[in-house]
Amino acid sequence: MIWLIVIGLVMGTGTLGVASWAEQERSAVIAHTMGLVTFSLFCLLFSITTRDERRTAFSLDTFSDRTFNLATVASVLTLILATVLGPLQKLLETTSLDVQQWLICICVSLSIIVVSEVRRATRRRTAGGAPAGTESPAEG
């Protein structure tokens, strides 16, 4: 439960931080779009990091599931289309982002991988020599 609170705080703080910055520096519609993109990327990257509780997201096994890969690609394409395709822009009240704005969204959302990997490393360290899979489901 604590883990979900931490993840929620990271995602919420990152998303609101990007949106707040964008609203001050750019405009409300860019802030809305950057918030949407940042939160969507957080969710997408979190799904990648939680595919396996024990293995790092940097493992080749992370992308061994074809269905997962297709869903990930579809999510990325949908997110891009939401910012460049006129009808989706109108529906979602978004606008096109420039490269710098995309990079800000990506860099902030990558923090979820850092937090997940730190947690994973900490759990490995505290588990000591316990065999994999001996942790109770309540941990986490």
Side-chain angles (χ1 to χ4, degrees), residues 51-135:
R51 265 205 86 235
D52 190 318
E53 279 292 313
R54 290 178 219 104
R55 289 190 196 137
T56 176
F58 302 107
S59 166
L60 290 177
D61 291 335
T62 300
F63 295 102
S64 61
D65 181 356
R66 186 173 191 273
T67 304
F68 180 78
N69 293 341
L70 290 173
T72 300
V73 169
S75 295
V76 171
L77 289 175
T78 303
L79 181 57
I80 292 169
L81 289 176
T83 64
V84 297
L85 195 64
L88 285 177
Q89 285 179 330
K90 191 175 238 179
L91 176 71
L92 299 172
E93 297 179 8
T94 59
T95 190
S96 297
L97 298 177
D98 63 28
V99 173
Q100 180 190 18
Q101 293 161 343
W102 271 100
L103 288 174
I104 289 168
C105 296
I106 290 167
C107 288
V108 170
S109 63
L110 284 172
S111 65
I112 203 76
I113 292 177
V114 174
V115 172
S116 295
E117 291 298 322
V118 167
R119 175 183 182 245
R120 195 170 279 121
T122 303
R123 290 184 77 185
R124 276 194 301 261
R125 229 180 260 137
T126 58
T134 59
E135 303 164 348

Side-chain angles (χ1 to χ4, degrees), residues 10-25:
V10 169
M11 293 171 96
T13 302
T15 301
L16 293 174
V18 166
S20 176
W21 172 84
E23 190 166 23
Q24 292 173 8
E25 295 294 319

